[in-house]
Amino acid sequence: MARYLGGRWAQAGHEVCFGSRSEDKAQEIAKEIGRGTRGASNDDAAEFADVILLTVRKPPREFLTAPEALDGKVLIDLNNQDFPRNTAWDGIHPSLAEAVQKAHPRTRVVKAFNTMAVEVFAHEPEELRQLDVSTFLAGDDEEALAVVANLAREVGLNPWTFGPLSESWILEVQADFIRTLMFSKNSPMITTNCKAIPEPRSDPFGGRKKGSY
């Protein structure tokens, strides 16, 4: 995901730095992607960037030597829990995004890009725009949400602001739904295309009745 999204953002004109535990590996990826991208250690990448794409299932403080480098920055968490392949489900866990926010209270965390496979981004941005592929954002900082929404549009996605970060667990559950379809259809190209349809011209059944909610 970092390689694909980083490549697309570099294509859109952003300065992109890939971070890794192995700086050599990050530099190899940057060489492969080209477009002025660079490779560095995780610490150097965190120091360099204004927006960080987190692609590991743990708060950065667990692998950065100077996690304060993230203070005030926008951090995009695209991770999901391990997929329950045996279909056994033991209830809702606190979201990975909330765990990152708790560990980094001065970082502006946004949940996004977690409901699609990396293969989706092999499509050119204009192709994805025509396909109207949706991505969902959850976060508590309006400015950070706007930054991530714009980055989503640049790679061809249609961003929908879902709600506060406390609701990011719903997006992680939604990812399990999408992944279940991917496995059942043997295709990584299953996506969500969210649309608000027009109101009907008339309602022959009397409309919604007042219910318990």
Side-chain angles (χ1 to χ4, degrees):
M1 290 292 276
R3 193 168 73 249
Y4 274 73
L5 284 169
R8 288 302 185 195
W9 286 325
Q11 194 175 51
H14 293 282
E15 292 184 75
V16 173
C17 179
F18 296 98
S20 173
R21 289 174 296 179
S22 166
E23 189 168 342
D24 289 342
K25 179 181 177 182
Q27 290 173 350
E28 288 175 9
I29 293 172
K31 184 177 179 181
E32 175 188 347
I33 299 300
R35 298 183 178 276
T37 62
R38 67 185 78 175
S41 67
N42 284 324
D43 283 289
D44 288 342
E47 183 68 36
F48 164 83
D50 296 317
V51 180
I52 294 93
L53 183 70
L54 179 66
T55 60
V56 294
R57 294 182 178 130
K58 59 177 69 174
R61 67 182 302 170
E62 295 188 23
F63 55 86
L64 293 181
T65 58
E68 62 274 11
L70 302 179
D71 289 0
K73 297 183 176 181
V74 176
L75 187 148
I76 304 169
D77 174 56
L78 53 63
N79 299 287
N80 293 308
Q81 308 282 352
D82 284 329
F83 187 66
R85 295 172 188 266
N86 62 0
T87 70
W89 191 62
D90 58 359
I92 296 170
H93 299 279
S95 72
L96 294 167
E98 288 176 285
V100 172
Q101 185 67 87
K102 183 177 180 180
H104 299 271
R106 290 186 295 277
T107 300
R108 299 179 291 168
V109 177
V110 175
K111 190 76 182 184
F113 307 115
N114 71 304
T115 56
M116 60 202 66
V118 65
E119 288 87 350
V120 168
F121 298 105
H123 282 287
E124 293 295 327
E126 187 53 40
E127 291 178 322
L128 290 181
R129 289 188 193 98
Q130 293 175 8
L131 293 168
D132 197 18
V133 177
S134 303
T135 187
F136 302 93
L137 284 55
D140 298 329
D141 185 290
E142 292 297 324
E143 183 180 352
L145 285 166
V147 167
V148 178
N150 188 58
L151 290 170
R153 293 186 190 98
E154 287 183 341
V155 298
L157 299 178
N158 182 11
W160 291 72
T161 300
F162 187 78
L165 200 65
S166 61
E167 295 184 359
S168 58
W169 67 269
I170 303 176
L171 300 186
E172 294 182 9
V173 172
Q174 182 194 30
D176 287 341
F177 169 75
I178 297 295
R179 288 188 287 180
T180 299
L181 290 176
M182 288 179 185
F183 283 111
S184 67
K185 301 300 183 182
N186 194 30
S187 170
M189 307 310 292
I190 305 296
T191 60
T192 300
N193 305 77
C194 188
K195 297 180 184 294
I197 65 174
E199 294 287 335
R201 288 188 293 272
S202 62
D203 188 338
F205 304 110
R208 180 188 292 271
K209 305 303 180 185
K210 183 175 176 58
S212 60
Y213 64 93

